[in-house]
Amino acid sequence: MDEAGRHLPRPAPIEAYGKGGFRFADMSHRGSLLCLPHGIWASAVTSAAEIDIAALSHVFAPDTSVDHFLIGTGKDPYPLPPPLREAFRARHIALEAMTTGAAVRTYNILLGERRRIGALLVAVE
């Protein structure tokens, strides 16, 4: 997996979000995040409409093992396109889309339960 843009080589709870970024592991990041069981990366996605298979390529990499994936769509809910949903279904990964705030809270709970959780969190102001 590409190490470019990786902030942390492990998962970590999201401590805060808003003002265009996130705080986690005593770090601050401006922009969206891709959180996986083996690290946290910067994501170029700026809105839910930009989310596609390419934006989630790390999720579908052979060395990634995720059971449940959350997409934080920003301030507003956003219906994910059927091809994206099908890509997760084909890999037997549960997928949920919700606002970024709800996704951060859910991610932290599932991470605390030691689940193999991943999330794409679109930054909000």
Side-chain angles (χ1 to χ4, degrees):
M1 179 169 295
D2 180 13
E3 298 299 314
R6 184 159 80 167
H7 288 298
L8 198 63
R10 62 179 172 78
I14 305 300
E15 298 159 2
Y17 69 96
K19 297 184 182 175
F22 299 88
R23 287 198 47 76
F24 58 95
D26 296 324
M27 289 188 257
S28 179
H29 170 75
R30 192 129 173 90
S32 300
L33 287 178
L34 177 63
C35 305
L36 294 171
H38 54 283
I40 297 177
W41 282 261
S43 172
V45 169
T46 60
S47 73
E50 296 174 14
I51 300 170
D52 60 13
I53 299 293
L56 297 168
S57 62
H58 284 336
V59 178
F60 302 127
D63 63 340
T64 300
S65 182
V66 175
D67 294 326
H68 199 119
F69 196 81
L70 306 171
I71 296 182
T73 59
K75 288 185 177 183
D76 299 311
Y78 182 84
L80 298 176
L84 188 59
R85 289 190 172 281
E86 183 52 41
F88 279 89
R89 190 174 7 264
R91 289 166 179 86
H92 306 288
I93 301 171
L95 175 64
E96 289 187 79
M98 57 193 75
T99 64
T100 294
V104 166
R105 291 185 294 276
T106 304
Y107 172 79
N108 286 342
I109 290 168
L110 295 175
L111 185 64
E113 293 176 352
R114 297 185 176 266
R115 305 263 188 106
R116 291 188 307 182
I117 185 72
L120 174 63
L121 304 170
V122 175
V124 294
E125 287 301 320

